[in-house]
Amino acid sequence: MEERHKSLEEKLVEWMKSQGYPLEMAVARAFQRKNFLIIRSEYYLDPDTHTARETDVVASVQEEVGDVFIRLSFVLECKTSLDKPWLLFSDEMGLADPARVAQRAASTTGASFLYSLATDHRVSELPLFQIDSPASYGFTQAFTSGQDRAYEAALSAAKAVAALTHHADLQEERTGEPYALVAFPVIVLRGGLFTARLCDGERLEVKAINEGTLLWRNPVVKNPHTIIKIVTEQHLDAYVEQICASAEPFFERVTKLIAKTGSRPRKRRHTGRAPRTRKAR
């Protein structure tokens, strides 16, 4: 039987699927359903090359407290890798509770809030600031010896976050209005995600997972760690729910902090270090 010729529309659908566009649409819709502000194909200035680059989706939720504008932004890189799963290399590593809060990408004002709230367990215990156990120190795309798409995605998300926080500082300087931005680099993967670690001496354990946390020692966001969340497409809705469960309590704690301090915490040099009351590992 002669094969039916595909229409142009069918060919376009196949091409779009091969390029990953449907995943970007699905990610944007998942956040839209929860009333996040969505920006697709946002451009940012690469801090190294000073050229304009594009990120897939930026989802934000925000509040104004007095004269302070507070925003949580999630920079989402969407990647499809059906035949080449991603591997996260894990170890018995982690961060102390204050460091899980303080070592997040943020504008100068945002960082001052995080530093002041880092020892507040009601903040550090929020799902938004949790780190998957075991956390990962490295990652790669399996079954390839050439271009590493996983590394490219992580670097792109981290640079976009760094650019957003820098832009927030410039906006605050220009307007004189406090702008507290906290930005989270996230990779959404359509494909297999696995963790690999040594167990019982030399036994190598590989396990399928739905989400993971990369504690990357690449200081793109000017912190000791660049903390990147990686979630599979199947786990995306659950991750969005975690964010929603964290956003309102976080805003409440910031509001109380502003009320207590009169306006906002004293600005400090943005090092990303946690308060000395508990040492970050």
Side-chain angles (χ1 to χ4, degrees):
M1 184 175 179
E2 187 175 337
E3 184 178 352
R4 179 179 66 87
H5 289 293
K6 294 180 180 178
S7 67
L8 179 57
E9 288 81 1
E10 290 173 321
K11 292 178 181 178
L12 285 172
V13 168
E14 288 183 358
W15 177 81
M16 289 175 63
K17 288 181 177 179
S18 70
Q19 299 299 308
Y21 291 112
L23 179 59
E24 294 178 22
M25 296 174 182
V27 169
R29 180 175 293 179
F31 281 88
Q32 275 182 323
R33 285 196 294 261
K34 296 298 182 179
N35 298 317
F36 281 73
L37 172 67
I38 301 297
I39 301 177
R40 298 178 177 85
S41 300
E42 174 76 321
Y43 279 84
Y44 65 93
L45 191 65
D46 188 306
D48 294 326
T49 64
H50 302 290
T51 57
R53 297 190 182 277
E54 182 182 1
T55 192
D56 295 328
V57 180
V58 179
S60 301
V61 60
Q62 59 206 37
E63 279 197 12
E64 290 188 50
V65 180
D67 66 338
V68 183
F69 182 72
I70 311 164
R71 171 176 282 176
L72 301 176
S73 288
F74 301 84
V75 176
L76 299 134
E77 282 288 315
C78 308
K79 296 300 173 185
T80 298
S81 185
L82 297 177
D83 59 338
K84 295 180 175 64
W86 287 20
L87 272 173
L88 301 179
F89 302 113
S90 302
D91 201 349
E92 298 302 324
M93 62 183 301
L95 294 176
D97 290 352
R100 289 193 282 105
V101 177
Q103 289 190 33
R104 302 288 176 164
S107 64
T108 302
T109 298
S112 68
F113 284 132
L114 292 180
Y115 185 82
S116 297
L117 293 170
T119 55
D120 185 342
H121 69 90
R122 286 163 292 192
V123 174
S124 62
E125 291 178 1
L126 291 173
L128 183 60
F129 295 105
Q130 295 304 301
I131 290 177
D132 297 287
S133 181
S136 301
Y137 61 87
F139 60 108
T140 191
Q141 183 182 38
F143 307 135
T144 180
S145 57
Q147 195 173 20
D148 193 333
R149 301 288 185 182
Y151 175 84
E152 289 180 353
L155 187 60
S156 178
K159 284 186 174 183
V161 159
L164 283 180
T165 56
H166 177 64
H167 182 268
D169 283 338
L170 294 178
Q171 181 172 328
E172 180 172 327
E173 290 176 8
R174 184 176 65 253
T175 64
E177 298 176 354
Y179 186 177
L181 171 66
V182 183
F184 300 82
V186 183
I187 300 173
V188 181
L189 177 65
R190 174 175 286 174
L193 183 63
F194 294 81
T195 181
R197 62 174 178 166
L198 281 177
C199 299
D200 302 328
E202 298 300 321
R203 184 173 64 87
L204 184 61
E205 179 186 79
V206 177
K207 182 180 178 182
I209 56 175
N210 287 317
E211 60 179 337
T213 303
L214 176 64
L215 299 181
W216 206 17
R217 294 295 294 185
N218 190 335
V220 180
V221 298
K222 300 179 182 179
N223 283 331
H225 296 90
T226 298
I227 304 174
I228 300 179
K229 183 74 173 184
I230 304 174
V231 299
T232 61
E233 181 184 16
Q234 294 85 349
H235 193 68
L236 176 61
D237 288 338
Y239 175 61
V240 175
E241 290 291 346
Q242 292 174 11
I243 296 172
C244 292
S246 301
E248 186 174 346
F250 177 76
F251 288 136
E252 288 176 356
R253 299 309 301 166
V254 174
T255 299
K256 290 182 179 180
L257 177 63
I258 292 173
K260 181 179 179 180
T261 59
S263 176
R264 51 180 164 161
R266 179 176 59 85
K267 285 189 179 181
R268 57 186 293 275
R269 188 169 60 88
H270 186 177
T271 63
R273 292 181 182 144
R276 293 183 180 178
T277 51
R278 294 184 63 180
K279 185 177 179 181
R281 284 164 48 186

